[in-house]
Amino acid sequence: METLKINIDKIYDFVSKETVYGYKKEAEAFNAALDNKTGKGNDFLGWVNLPSSIKNSELADIEAVAASLKSKTEVVVVIGIGGSYLGAKNVVEALSNSFQTLKKKQENPLVLFAGQNISEDYMHELIEILDERKYGIVVISKSGTTTEPAVAFRLLKGHLEAKVGKAEAKDLIVAITDEKRGALRTLATQEGYKTFAIPDDIGGRYSVLTPVGLLPIAVAGFDIRALVEGAKAMEKATAQNVPFEQNPSAIYAAARNALYKAGKTTEILASYNPKLVYFSEWWKQLYGESEGKESKGIFPASVTFTADLHSMGQYIQEGLRNIFETVISVNSVNYKVTIPNDPENLDTLNFLSGKRIDEVNKNAELGTMLAHVDGGVPNIRVEIPKINEYHLGELMYFFEKACGISGYILGVNPFDQPGVEAYKKNMFALLDKPGYEEESKKIKAKL
Ligand code: PA5
Protein backbone atom coordinates (compact mmCIF):
# COMPACT_ATOMS: atom_id res chain seq x y z
CA MET A 1 0.00 0.00 0.00
CA GLU A 2 1.16 3.52 -0.79
CA THR A 3 2.10 5.41 2.30
CA LEU A 4 3.17 8.77 3.74
CA LYS A 5 6.55 10.06 2.58
CA ILE A 6 8.69 12.97 3.69
CA ASN A 7 11.06 14.89 1.44
CA ILE A 8 13.50 17.42 2.91
CA ASP A 9 15.71 17.97 -0.16
CA LYS A 10 14.52 21.57 -0.42
CA ILE A 11 15.99 22.59 2.91
CA TYR A 12 19.58 21.82 1.98
CA ASP A 13 20.24 25.29 0.51
CA PHE A 14 19.72 26.55 4.08
CA VAL A 15 21.01 23.81 6.38
CA SER A 16 23.40 21.06 5.35
CA LYS A 17 22.51 17.39 5.24
CA GLU A 18 25.30 16.82 7.80
CA THR A 19 23.58 19.23 10.19
CA VAL A 20 20.23 17.47 9.87
CA TYR A 21 21.75 14.00 10.11
CA GLY A 22 23.79 15.28 13.06
CA TYR A 23 20.57 14.89 15.06
CA LYS A 24 20.45 11.15 14.30
CA LYS A 25 21.66 9.92 17.71
CA GLU A 26 19.56 12.39 19.66
CA ALA A 27 16.41 11.71 17.59
CA GLU A 28 16.81 7.95 17.96
CA ALA A 29 17.41 8.23 21.70
CA PHE A 30 14.38 10.51 22.20
CA ASN A 31 12.24 8.26 20.04
CA ALA A 32 13.22 5.34 22.27
CA ALA A 33 12.44 7.48 25.33
CA LEU A 34 8.93 7.98 23.95
CA ASP A 35 8.42 4.28 23.22
CA ASN A 36 9.90 3.25 26.59
CA LYS A 37 8.17 6.09 28.45
CA THR A 38 11.36 7.31 30.07
CA GLY A 39 11.46 10.97 28.98
CA LYS A 40 9.96 14.18 30.34
CA GLY A 41 6.18 14.08 30.79
CA ASN A 42 6.23 10.29 30.64
CA ASP A 43 2.93 10.06 32.51
CA PHE A 44 1.28 11.43 29.33
CA LEU A 45 2.55 8.92 26.81
CA GLY A 46 -0.52 6.73 26.50
CA TRP A 47 -0.94 7.90 22.89
CA VAL A 48 2.36 6.30 21.76
CA ASN A 49 1.02 2.73 21.62
CA LEU A 50 -2.63 3.66 21.42
CA PRO A 51 -3.20 2.66 17.77
CA SER A 52 -1.90 -0.88 18.34
CA SER A 53 -3.59 -1.28 21.69
CA ILE A 54 -7.16 -0.15 20.97
CA LYS A 55 -9.38 -3.16 21.46
CA ASN A 56 -11.99 -4.29 18.98
CA SER A 57 -14.56 -4.16 21.78
CA GLU A 58 -13.74 -0.47 22.42
CA LEU A 59 -14.26 0.40 18.77
CA ALA A 60 -17.46 -1.64 18.69
CA ASP A 61 -18.80 0.25 21.73
CA ILE A 62 -18.07 3.60 20.06
CA GLU A 63 -19.70 2.42 16.82
CA ALA A 64 -22.79 1.22 18.69
CA VAL A 65 -23.24 4.54 20.49
CA ALA A 66 -22.68 6.40 17.20
CA ALA A 67 -25.32 4.21 15.52
CA SER A 68 -27.78 4.91 18.30
CA LEU A 69 -27.23 8.70 18.04
CA LYS A 70 -27.51 8.49 14.26
CA SER A 71 -30.84 6.70 14.46
CA LYS A 72 -32.33 9.36 16.73
CA THR A 73 -30.95 12.67 15.46
CA GLU A 74 -30.47 14.99 12.50
CA VAL A 75 -27.75 16.99 14.21
CA VAL A 76 -25.20 16.08 16.87
CA VAL A 77 -23.55 18.95 18.71
CA VAL A 78 -20.06 18.12 19.89
CA ILE A 79 -19.10 20.33 22.82
CA GLY A 80 -15.40 20.74 23.61
CA ILE A 81 -12.39 22.99 23.15
CA GLY A 82 -8.69 22.58 22.29
CA GLY A 83 -7.72 18.95 22.30
CA SER A 84 -11.30 18.02 23.09
CA TYR A 85 -12.39 19.60 19.80
CA LEU A 86 -9.74 19.86 17.10
CA GLY A 87 -9.11 16.13 16.51
CA ALA A 88 -12.73 15.43 15.60
CA LYS A 89 -13.22 18.76 13.85
CA ASN A 90 -10.21 18.29 11.57
CA VAL A 91 -11.09 14.75 10.51
CA VAL A 92 -14.79 15.50 9.98
CA GLU A 93 -13.93 18.56 7.87
CA ALA A 94 -11.29 16.73 5.85
CA LEU A 95 -13.62 13.85 4.99
CA SER A 96 -16.93 15.67 4.53
CA ASN A 97 -18.35 16.98 1.29
CA SER A 98 -17.38 20.67 1.08
CA PHE A 99 -21.08 21.58 0.82
CA GLN A 100 -22.42 18.95 3.22
CA THR A 101 -24.84 21.30 4.99
CA LEU A 102 -26.55 22.09 1.66
CA LYS A 103 -27.05 18.48 0.60
CA LYS A 104 -30.73 17.58 0.34
CA LYS A 105 -30.24 14.06 1.66
CA GLN A 106 -28.20 13.68 4.84
CA GLU A 107 -27.17 10.07 5.42
CA ASN A 108 -25.64 10.86 8.78
CA PRO A 109 -26.35 13.54 11.37
CA LEU A 110 -24.64 16.83 10.74
CA VAL A 111 -21.91 17.22 13.31
CA LEU A 112 -21.78 20.78 14.66
CA PHE A 113 -19.44 22.10 17.32
CA ALA A 114 -19.95 24.28 20.38
CA GLY A 115 -18.01 25.19 23.50
CA GLN A 116 -14.94 26.12 21.42
CA ASN A 117 -15.65 29.83 21.89
CA ILE A 118 -17.59 32.13 24.22
CA SER A 119 -19.54 33.91 21.51
CA GLU A 120 -23.07 34.85 22.50
CA ASP A 121 -24.14 35.22 18.86
CA TYR A 122 -22.76 31.78 18.01
CA MET A 123 -24.83 30.20 20.80
CA HIS A 124 -27.94 32.14 19.86
CA GLU A 125 -27.69 31.12 16.22
CA LEU A 126 -26.95 27.50 17.12
CA ILE A 127 -29.96 27.30 19.44
CA GLU A 128 -32.15 28.81 16.70
CA ILE A 129 -31.12 25.96 14.38
CA LEU A 130 -31.52 23.34 17.12
CA ASP A 131 -35.07 24.54 17.83
CA GLU A 132 -36.01 23.02 14.48
CA ARG A 133 -33.91 19.86 14.51
CA LYS A 134 -33.82 16.53 16.31
CA TYR A 135 -30.47 16.67 18.01
CA GLY A 136 -28.12 14.99 20.43
CA ILE A 137 -25.09 16.18 22.38
CA VAL A 138 -21.61 14.74 22.84
CA VAL A 139 -19.98 16.74 25.63
CA ILE A 140 -16.21 16.33 25.94
CA SER A 141 -13.93 17.64 28.67
CA LYS A 142 -11.07 15.70 30.21
CA SER A 143 -10.81 17.92 33.26
CA GLY A 144 -14.57 18.34 33.32
CA THR A 145 -14.12 21.90 34.52
CA THR A 146 -13.24 23.93 31.40
CA THR A 147 -15.35 27.08 31.26
CA GLU A 148 -16.17 27.29 27.54
CA PRO A 149 -17.64 23.77 27.12
CA ALA A 150 -19.27 23.91 30.57
CA VAL A 151 -21.16 27.09 29.63
CA ALA A 152 -22.23 25.63 26.28
CA PHE A 153 -23.34 22.38 27.90
CA ARG A 154 -25.34 24.14 30.60
CA LEU A 155 -27.25 26.01 27.86
CA LEU A 156 -27.79 23.08 25.49
CA LYS A 157 -28.66 20.59 28.24
CA GLY A 158 -31.37 22.98 29.42
CA HIS A 159 -32.55 23.53 25.84
CA LEU A 160 -32.71 19.84 25.00
CA GLU A 161 -34.50 18.94 28.25
CA ALA A 162 -37.04 21.68 27.69
CA LYS A 163 -37.54 20.47 24.11
CA VAL A 164 -37.87 16.68 24.54
CA GLY A 165 -38.17 16.16 28.29
CA LYS A 166 -35.53 15.12 30.80
CA ALA A 167 -35.94 11.38 30.28
CA GLU A 168 -35.51 11.51 26.50
CA ALA A 169 -32.71 14.07 26.74
CA LYS A 170 -30.73 11.66 28.92
CA ASP A 171 -30.61 9.16 26.05
CA LEU A 172 -29.46 11.82 23.62
CA ILE A 173 -26.47 12.96 25.67
CA VAL A 174 -23.08 11.26 25.80
CA ALA A 175 -20.30 12.52 28.07
CA ILE A 176 -16.59 11.89 27.45
CA THR A 177 -14.45 12.78 30.45
CA ASP A 178 -12.05 11.56 33.11
CA GLU A 179 -12.92 8.13 34.48
CA LYS A 180 -13.41 9.38 38.05
CA ARG A 181 -12.68 13.09 38.53
CA GLY A 182 -14.27 16.38 37.55
CA ALA A 183 -17.61 18.13 37.48
CA LEU A 184 -18.65 16.53 34.19
CA ARG A 185 -18.09 13.02 35.58
CA THR A 186 -20.19 13.90 38.65
CA LEU A 187 -22.96 15.35 36.47
CA ALA A 188 -22.92 12.42 34.04
CA THR A 189 -23.18 9.91 36.89
CA GLN A 190 -25.99 11.85 38.52
CA GLU A 191 -27.95 12.18 35.26
CA GLY A 192 -27.22 8.64 34.07
CA TYR A 193 -25.62 9.58 30.73
CA LYS A 194 -23.73 7.09 28.61
CA THR A 195 -20.06 7.91 29.17
CA PHE A 196 -16.65 7.16 27.75
CA ALA A 197 -13.46 7.65 29.77
CA ILE A 198 -10.42 9.58 28.55
CA PRO A 199 -7.31 7.70 29.68
CA ASP A 200 -5.32 9.50 32.39
CA ASP A 201 -2.12 9.22 30.40
CA ILE A 202 -3.36 10.92 27.22
CA GLY A 203 -3.43 14.72 27.04
CA GLY A 204 -6.01 16.65 25.00
CA ARG A 205 -3.95 17.37 21.90
CA TYR A 206 -2.91 13.71 21.59
CA SER A 207 -6.42 12.36 22.15
CA VAL A 208 -7.90 12.10 18.65
CA LEU A 209 -7.74 8.29 18.68
CA THR A 210 -9.59 8.01 21.99
CA PRO A 211 -13.41 8.36 22.12
CA VAL A 212 -12.78 12.15 22.16
CA GLY A 213 -12.11 12.01 18.42
CA LEU A 214 -13.50 8.64 17.44
CA LEU A 215 -17.10 9.07 18.60
CA PRO A 216 -17.82 12.33 16.72
CA ILE A 217 -15.99 10.97 13.65
CA ALA A 218 -18.11 7.79 13.75
CA VAL A 219 -21.30 9.83 14.20
CA ALA A 220 -20.40 11.80 11.06
CA GLY A 221 -20.34 8.47 9.22
CA PHE A 222 -16.61 7.86 8.81
CA ASP A 223 -14.64 4.67 9.22
CA ILE A 224 -12.84 4.87 12.56
CA ARG A 225 -11.26 1.45 12.07
CA ALA A 226 -9.45 2.66 8.93
CA LEU A 227 -8.32 5.76 10.83
CA VAL A 228 -6.86 3.61 13.59
CA GLU A 229 -5.28 1.23 11.03
CA GLY A 230 -3.48 4.16 9.37
CA ALA A 231 -2.18 5.36 12.72
CA LYS A 232 -1.13 1.82 13.58
CA ALA A 233 0.91 1.57 10.38
CA MET A 234 2.64 4.84 11.30
CA GLU A 235 3.22 3.65 14.88
CA LYS A 236 5.17 0.78 13.32
CA ALA A 237 6.95 2.98 10.76
CA THR A 238 8.20 5.33 13.48
CA ALA A 239 8.99 2.84 16.25
CA GLN A 240 12.33 2.88 18.02
CA ASN A 241 13.70 -0.07 16.02
CA VAL A 242 13.37 1.90 12.77
CA PRO A 243 16.66 3.61 11.86
CA PHE A 244 16.67 7.41 11.71
CA GLU A 245 17.09 7.48 7.92
CA GLN A 246 13.84 5.54 7.44
CA ASN A 247 11.79 7.12 10.21
CA PRO A 248 9.75 10.01 8.77
CA SER A 249 8.91 11.47 12.18
CA ALA A 250 12.55 11.48 13.28
CA ILE A 251 13.64 13.12 9.99
CA TYR A 252 10.97 15.81 10.32
CA ALA A 253 11.89 16.48 13.96
CA ALA A 254 15.58 16.77 13.05
CA ALA A 255 14.93 18.98 10.01
CA ARG A 256 12.77 21.48 11.89
CA ASN A 257 15.24 21.70 14.80
CA ALA A 258 18.11 22.26 12.36
CA LEU A 259 16.11 25.04 10.69
CA TYR A 260 15.16 26.55 14.06
CA LYS A 261 18.83 26.70 15.04
CA ALA A 262 19.52 28.40 11.70
CA GLY A 263 17.07 31.19 12.61
CA LYS A 264 13.92 29.82 10.98
CA THR A 265 11.65 30.41 13.96
CA THR A 266 8.27 30.27 12.18
CA GLU A 267 6.93 27.17 10.47
CA ILE A 268 4.04 27.54 8.06
CA LEU A 269 2.00 24.43 7.36
CA ALA A 270 0.68 24.76 3.84
CA SER A 271 -1.86 22.70 1.98
CA TYR A 272 -3.50 23.00 -1.41
CA ASN A 273 -6.84 21.57 -0.34
CA PRO A 274 -9.40 23.60 1.64
CA LYS A 275 -10.55 20.39 3.32
CA LEU A 276 -7.34 20.53 5.36
CA VAL A 277 -7.94 23.95 6.96
CA TYR A 278 -8.87 22.37 10.30
CA PHE A 279 -6.12 19.80 9.99
CA SER A 280 -3.79 22.79 10.18
CA GLU A 281 -5.63 24.07 13.24
CA TRP A 282 -5.13 20.69 14.92
CA TRP A 283 -1.44 20.74 13.94
CA LYS A 284 -1.00 24.29 15.30
CA GLN A 285 -2.37 23.24 18.66
CA LEU A 286 -0.19 20.13 18.70
CA TYR A 287 3.03 22.00 18.01
CA GLY A 288 2.19 25.33 19.66
CA GLU A 289 1.14 23.80 22.96
CA SER A 290 3.85 21.18 22.95
CA GLU A 291 6.86 23.34 22.08
CA GLY A 292 6.03 26.95 22.90
CA LYS A 293 7.41 27.23 26.42
CA GLU A 294 10.48 28.32 28.40
CA SER A 295 10.86 31.20 25.89
CA LYS A 296 11.56 28.67 23.14
CA GLY A 297 9.78 27.03 20.23
CA ILE A 298 8.97 27.38 16.56
CA PHE A 299 5.86 29.50 15.98
CA PRO A 300 3.35 27.33 14.07
CA ALA A 301 1.31 29.12 11.42
CA SER A 302 -0.75 27.86 8.50
CA VAL A 303 -1.97 28.79 5.05
CA THR A 304 -4.28 27.25 2.49
CA PHE A 305 -3.11 27.66 -1.07
CA THR A 306 -3.82 28.82 -3.62
CA ALA A 307 -6.21 31.18 -1.76
CA ASP A 308 -3.50 32.48 0.56
CA LEU A 309 -1.02 32.94 -2.29
CA HIS A 310 -3.15 35.97 -3.03
CA SER A 311 -2.69 37.33 0.49
CA MET A 312 0.03 35.79 2.64
CA GLY A 313 1.97 34.76 -0.46
CA GLN A 314 3.58 38.20 -0.64
CA TYR A 315 4.97 37.91 2.91
CA ILE A 316 6.17 34.37 2.41
CA GLN A 317 7.96 35.31 -0.80
CA GLU A 318 9.59 38.54 0.37
CA GLY A 319 8.97 39.25 4.06
CA LEU A 320 11.19 38.59 7.08
CA ARG A 321 13.34 35.53 6.28
CA ASN A 322 12.67 33.64 9.52
CA ILE A 323 10.21 31.16 8.04
CA PHE A 324 10.14 27.68 6.62
CA GLU A 325 7.27 25.86 5.04
CA THR A 326 5.95 22.34 5.49
CA VAL A 327 3.65 21.38 2.67
CA ILE A 328 1.08 18.62 2.97
CA SER A 329 1.00 17.34 -0.56
CA VAL A 330 -1.96 15.12 -1.50
CA ASN A 331 -1.19 12.90 -4.52
CA SER A 332 -4.64 12.20 -5.86
CA VAL A 333 -8.15 13.60 -5.65
CA ASN A 334 -11.45 11.76 -5.52
CA TYR A 335 -13.23 13.22 -8.53
CA LYS A 336 -12.37 14.26 -12.06
CA VAL A 337 -13.16 17.75 -13.40
CA THR A 338 -11.54 18.91 -16.64
CA ILE A 339 -11.29 22.45 -17.95
CA PRO A 340 -13.45 22.91 -21.06
CA ASN A 341 -12.35 24.40 -24.39
CA ASP A 342 -13.84 27.75 -25.37
CA PRO A 343 -13.68 28.58 -29.11
CA GLU A 344 -13.70 32.31 -28.34
CA ASN A 345 -10.89 32.01 -25.77
CA LEU A 346 -11.46 35.55 -24.50
CA ASP A 347 -10.01 34.55 -21.13
CA THR A 348 -6.95 33.11 -22.99
CA LEU A 349 -7.23 29.90 -21.02
CA ASN A 350 -7.35 27.47 -23.91
CA PHE A 351 -3.82 26.34 -23.09
CA LEU A 352 -5.53 24.60 -20.17
CA SER A 353 -8.33 23.00 -22.21
CA GLY A 354 -8.74 19.34 -21.40
CA LYS A 355 -6.48 19.52 -18.36
CA ARG A 356 -7.71 18.44 -14.97
CA ILE A 357 -8.14 21.06 -12.23
CA ASP A 358 -5.81 18.99 -10.08
CA GLU A 359 -3.05 19.20 -12.70
CA VAL A 360 -3.25 22.99 -12.48
CA ASN A 361 -3.23 22.75 -8.66
CA LYS A 362 -0.18 20.45 -8.73
CA ASN A 363 1.70 22.89 -10.97
CA ALA A 364 0.75 25.75 -8.66
CA GLU A 365 2.21 23.65 -5.83
CA LEU A 366 5.43 22.92 -7.70
CA GLY A 367 5.83 26.48 -8.94
CA THR A 368 5.20 27.88 -5.46
CA MET A 369 7.70 25.55 -3.84
CA LEU A 370 10.41 26.58 -6.31
CA ALA A 371 9.56 30.28 -5.92
CA HIS A 372 9.55 30.11 -2.12
CA VAL A 373 12.85 28.22 -1.98
CA ASP A 374 14.34 30.81 -4.38
CA GLY A 375 12.94 33.51 -2.09
CA GLY A 376 14.72 32.08 0.96
CA VAL A 377 12.05 29.79 2.42
CA PRO A 378 13.15 26.19 3.02
CA ASN A 379 10.50 23.64 2.11
CA ILE A 380 9.65 20.29 3.65
CA ARG A 381 7.16 18.13 1.78
CA VAL A 382 4.95 15.58 3.53
CA GLU A 383 3.19 13.54 0.90
CA ILE A 384 0.08 11.42 1.35
CA PRO A 385 -1.60 9.35 -1.38
CA LYS A 386 -5.08 10.83 -0.80
CA ILE A 387 -7.36 12.26 1.85
CA ASN A 388 -9.14 9.33 3.47
CA GLU A 389 -9.45 7.86 6.94
CA TYR A 390 -6.39 5.63 6.64
CA HIS A 391 -4.02 8.34 5.44
CA LEU A 392 -5.34 10.90 7.93
CA GLY A 393 -4.63 8.36 10.67
CA GLU A 394 -1.11 7.98 9.34
CA LEU A 395 -0.61 11.73 9.04
CA MET A 396 -1.81 12.53 12.56
CA TYR A 397 0.33 9.87 14.18
CA PHE A 398 3.33 10.97 12.06
CA PHE A 399 2.98 14.51 13.41
CA GLU A 400 2.35 13.36 17.00
CA LYS A 401 5.46 11.18 17.08
CA ALA A 402 7.53 13.89 15.44
CA CYS A 403 6.25 16.44 17.94
CA GLY A 404 7.38 14.30 20.89
CA ILE A 405 10.86 13.82 19.39
CA SER A 406 11.13 17.45 18.33
CA GLY A 407 10.06 18.79 21.73
CA TYR A 408 12.65 16.59 23.45
CA ILE A 409 15.37 17.80 21.04
CA LEU A 410 14.31 21.37 21.86
CA GLY A 411 14.69 20.54 25.55
CA VAL A 412 11.10 21.07 26.71
CA ASN A 413 8.39 18.82 28.09
CA PRO A 414 6.11 18.43 25.06
CA PHE A 415 3.26 17.05 27.14
CA ASP A 416 2.37 19.86 29.52
CA GLN A 417 0.76 23.26 28.91
CA PRO A 418 1.34 25.43 32.00
CA GLY A 419 0.91 28.62 29.96
CA VAL A 420 -2.79 28.11 29.23
CA GLU A 421 -3.67 28.81 32.88
CA ALA A 422 -2.71 32.52 32.80
CA TYR A 423 -5.74 33.77 30.86
CA LYS A 424 -8.09 31.63 32.94
CA LYS A 425 -6.80 33.15 36.18
CA ASN A 426 -7.37 36.67 34.89
CA MET A 427 -10.79 35.86 33.43
CA PHE A 428 -11.98 34.29 36.70
CA ALA A 429 -10.64 37.24 38.69
CA LEU A 430 -12.42 39.69 36.39
CA LEU A 431 -15.64 37.69 36.65
CA ASP A 432 -15.41 37.56 40.48
CA LYS A 433 -15.26 33.77 40.72
CA PRO A 434 -15.39 32.73 44.40
CA GLY A 435 -11.86 31.98 45.60
CA TYR A 436 -10.30 34.63 43.33
CA GLU A 437 -10.94 37.64 45.64
CA GLU A 438 -7.26 38.62 45.97
CA GLU A 439 -6.54 38.26 42.24
CA SER A 440 -9.72 40.17 41.56
CA LYS A 441 -8.58 43.16 43.61
CA LYS A 442 -5.13 43.12 41.98
CA ILE A 443 -6.33 42.84 38.43
CA LYS A 444 -9.03 45.47 38.80
CA ALA A 445 -6.46 47.91 40.18
CA LYS A 446 -4.58 47.56 36.89
CA LEU A 447 -7.56 48.60 34.77
O1 PA5 B 1 -4.36 19.94 24.93
C1 PA5 B 1 -4.88 20.30 25.97
O2 PA5 B 1 -4.62 19.77 27.04
C2 PA5 B 1 -5.92 21.39 25.97
O3 PA5 B 1 -6.07 21.99 24.74
C3 PA5 B 1 -7.26 20.84 26.42
O4 PA5 B 1 -7.62 19.83 25.52
C4 PA5 B 1 -8.34 21.90 26.45
O5 PA5 B 1 -7.95 22.93 27.30
C5 PA5 B 1 -9.66 21.32 26.93
O6 PA5 B 1 -9.52 20.71 28.17
P1 PA5 B 1 -10.61 19.76 28.76
O7 PA5 B 1 -10.75 18.58 27.89
O8 PA5 B 1 -10.12 19.42 30.13
O9 PA5 B 1 -11.90 20.56 28.80
Side-chain angles (χ1 to χ4, degrees):
M1 162 148 4
E2 273 196 291
T3 182
L4 176 150
K5 292 190 187 73
I6 182 164
N7 184 327
I8 61 166
D9 290 351
K10 295 284 184 239
I11 71 170
Y12 293 140
D13 285 351
F14 308 89
V15 285
S16 69
K17 193 165 181 175
E18 292 68 49
T19 308
V20 178
Y21 280 66
Y23 284 98
K24 175 181 159 75
K25 275 214 173 99
E26 237 181 313
E28 284 181 340
F30 287 136
N31 192 28
L34 290 169
D35 285 0
N36 301 331
K37 301 190 180 14
T38 52
K40 281 185 191 168
N42 59 358
D43 42 348
F44 279 100
L45 291 177
W47 58 272
V48 175
N49 303 114
L50 183 62
S52 60
S53 57
I54 298 179
K55 295 193 192 80
N56 184 38
S57 57
E58 289 166 338
L59 293 173
D61 190 15
I62 293 169
E63 286 165 339
V65 173
S68 159
L69 278 173
K70 281 192 209 183
S71 70
K72 295 181 207 151
T73 63
E74 299 166 279
V75 169
V76 170
V77 185
V78 176
I79 298 178
I81 194 166
S84 292
Y85 157 61
L86 285 165
K89 175 74 178 173
N90 100 66
V91 175
V92 171
E93 285 283 315
L95 297 175
S96 293
N97 183 294
S98 306
F99 307 99
Q100 189 64 38
T101 51
L102 295 178
K103 280 196 139 190
K104 291 217 170 90
K105 193 166 174 290
Q106 299 288 347
E107 278 161 25
N108 298 290
L110 273 180
V111 173
L112 303 180
F113 293 86
Q116 82 282 31
N117 60 55
I118 329 180
S119 162
E120 190 159 343
D121 288 347
Y122 186 95
M123 283 314 287
H124 175 88
E125 289 164 8
L126 176 62
I127 287 171
E128 238 176 22
I129 293 293
L130 297 177
D131 275 338
E132 294 163 8
R133 303 292 172 112
K134 286 199 267 177
Y135 78 98
I137 300 173
V138 176
V139 53
I140 309 172
S141 177
K142 186 174 185 207
S143 62
T145 54
T146 307
T147 308
E148 292 89 335
V151 168
F153 185 54
R154 183 186 274 216
L155 272 160
L156 294 190
K157 174 181 183 290
H159 180 265
L160 188 60
E161 287 176 354
K163 192 171 178 210
V164 302
K166 210 168 159 59
E168 199 176 318
K170 171 186 111 48
D171 293 331
L172 292 167
I173 296 175
V174 179
I176 306 179
T177 187
D178 185 89
E179 195 172 1
K180 298 192 191 81
R181 290 179 296 267
L184 183 57
R185 172 57 63 185
T186 312
L187 186 65
T189 309
Q190 184 184 300
E191 301 283 340
Y193 300 147
K194 167 70 188 171
T195 62
F196 288 97
I198 308 173
D200 270 349
D201 58 355
I202 299 181
R205 58 192 176 275
Y206 294 85
S207 70
V208 58
L209 297 174
T210 72
V212 171
L214 296 181
L215 180 62
I217 293 167
V219 169
F222 301 115
D223 182 351
I224 57 172
R225 288 175 192 264
L227 191 80
V228 171
E229 278 308 307
K232 196 165 150 185
M234 195 46 60
E235 180 187 327
K236 202 166 160 213
T238 61
Q240 59 176 309
N241 60 337
V242 178
F244 175 79
E245 297 76 3
Q246 287 153 32
N247 181 335
S249 295
I251 297 271
Y252 177 57
R256 59 199 300 285
N257 273 282
L259 290 165
Y260 179 61
K261 277 268 167 65
K264 304 293 183 188
T265 54
T266 294
E267 178 176 12
I268 302 181
L269 190 74
S271 78
Y272 286 77
N273 193 320
K275 286 180 192 280
L276 295 179
V277 166
Y278 275 93
F279 186 89
S280 300
E281 295 303 313
W282 172 84
W283 173 89
K284 283 193 281 194
Q285 186 203 1
L286 181 64
Y287 279 81
E289 243 178 29
S290 298
E291 293 193 325
K293 49 196 74 159
E294 298 173 30
S295 306
K296 293 193 261 196
I298 296 169
F299 181 79
S302 67
V303 287
T304 304
F305 292 153
T306 59
D308 290 332
L309 287 173
H310 298 259
S311 56
M312 294 300 289
Q314 172 59 37
Y315 190 103
I316 298 170
Q317 191 67 46
E318 295 183 344
L320 193 63
R321 301 297 72 191
N322 67 337
I323 54 185
F324 68 99
E325 227 171 26
T326 296
V327 178
I328 300 180
S329 182
V330 181
N331 285 347
S332 55
V333 292
N334 294 321
Y335 303 105
K336 188 172 174 181
V337 180
T338 50
I339 298 170
N341 190 54
D342 179 353
E344 293 202 41
N345 197 27
L346 291 177
D347 55 12
T348 69
L349 283 183
N350 273 356
F351 71 101
L352 296 177
S353 297
K355 288 197 194 303
R356 295 188 52 180
I357 301 264
D358 196 50
E359 187 182 340
V360 180
N361 203 23
K362 289 285 185 308
N363 280 289
E365 181 179 327
L366 186 58
T368 304
M369 192 243 298
L370 296 172
H372 287 179
V373 172
D374 283 347
V377 178
N379 257 247
I380 294 174
R381 200 164 90 240
V382 177
E383 200 179 298
I384 57 168
K386 66 192 298 193
I387 299 177
N388 62 17
E389 288 91 335
Y390 183 90
H391 295 304
L392 283 175
E394 270 191 321
L395 191 59
M396 289 189 294
Y397 190 90
F398 156 77
F399 277 124
E400 287 178 354
K401 195 66 178 296
C403 189
I405 302 171
S406 183
Y408 281 163
I409 294 177
L410 188 67
V412 299
N413 174 357
F415 308 110
D416 66 3
Q417 55 285 328
V420 300
E421 294 310 313
Y423 98 91
K424 294 184 193 167
K425 204 176 97 193
N426 284 354
M427 178 176 76
F428 292 148
L430 288 165
L431 288 167
D432 298 314
K433 182 173 175 169
Y436 283 76
E437 290 76 9
E438 273 311 302
E439 285 89 347
S440 200
K441 259 190 241 155
K442 276 190 211 145
I443 199 165
K444 285 182 181 168
K446 285 190 199 165
L447 299 177

